[in-house]
């Protein structure tokens, strides 16, 4: 079973930085693509970034140049480094494994993907 757990969320001021972690268990991370999604109150869920098994990456336009996704296969962990955070980045962030890491976020999720429980990120002064 593909199991992932997010950590690293919290409160940060606008312009600040935060790193989210996604720890994988029950499978070998090396062979899978993963993605970060987020959902803000009253808004639809959106894909933020994905990384494939060869460490190729894609980003939604709103975070390009500010967020960086990376993976550490020996540690079975995927990271999302978020810089220059804005209030509109406030959301619950989810790690999702077994995605289709295509250039467009609308294709990332699929019926075989497994979702974590999410971690809250709040950007506020």
């Amino acid at each position: 079973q593909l199991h992932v757990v997010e950590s690293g969320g919290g409160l940060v001021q606008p312009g600040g930085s935060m790193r989210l972690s996604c720890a994988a268990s029950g499978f070998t991370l090396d062979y899978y693509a993963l993605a970060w999604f987020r959902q803000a109150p009253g808004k639809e869920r959106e894909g933020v970034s994905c990384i494939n098994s060869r460490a190729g990456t894609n980003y939604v336009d709103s975070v390009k140049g500010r967020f960086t996704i990376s993976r550490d296969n020996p540690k079975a962990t995927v990271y999302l480094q978020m810089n220059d955070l804005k209030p509109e980045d406030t959301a619950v962030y989810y790690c999702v494994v077994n995605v289709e890491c295509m250039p467009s976020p609308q294709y990332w999720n699929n019926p075989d993907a497994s979702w974590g429980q999410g971690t809250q990120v709040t950007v506020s002064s």
Side-chain angles (χ1 to χ4, degrees):
Q1 184 175 358
L2 308 180
H3 185 60
V4 290
V5 178
E6 305 92 338
S7 62
L11 174 65
V12 64
Q13 292 187 342
S17 297
M18 180 178 287
R19 188 177 77 164
L20 304 182
S21 299
C22 171
S25 62
F27 64 99
T28 302
L29 183 66
D30 306 41
Y31 308 121
Y32 289 87
L34 292 92
W36 288 95
F37 283 75
R38 66 186 179 186
Q39 187 164 22
K43 294 188 177 181
E44 292 188 357
R45 184 180 64 192
E46 70 168 346
V48 175
S49 181
C50 68
I51 186 166
N52 64 26
S53 60
R54 298 179 302 280
T57 59
N58 289 301
Y59 298 90
V60 68
D61 286 345
S62 60
V63 306
K64 286 180 179 177
R66 299 189 298 123
F67 290 13
T68 302
I69 191 171
S70 62
R71 62 192 298 153
D72 186 335
N73 290 337
K75 293 184 178 180
T77 303
V78 171
Y79 302 100
L80 185 67
Q81 178 66 43
M82 306 184 293
N83 298 327
D84 189 23
L85 282 159
K86 306 176 186 298
E88 51 264 41
D89 295 317
T90 295
V92 177
Y93 283 71
Y94 298 91
C95 178
V96 187
V97 63
N98 202 22
V99 300
E100 298 289 341
C101 189
M102 306 294 285
S104 177
Q106 65 180 316
Y107 300 115
W108 295 352
N109 195 23
N110 68 83
D112 295 324
S114 293
W115 289 65
Q117 294 299 306
T119 184
Q120 176 71 46
V121 173
T122 302
V123 184
S124 175
S125 56

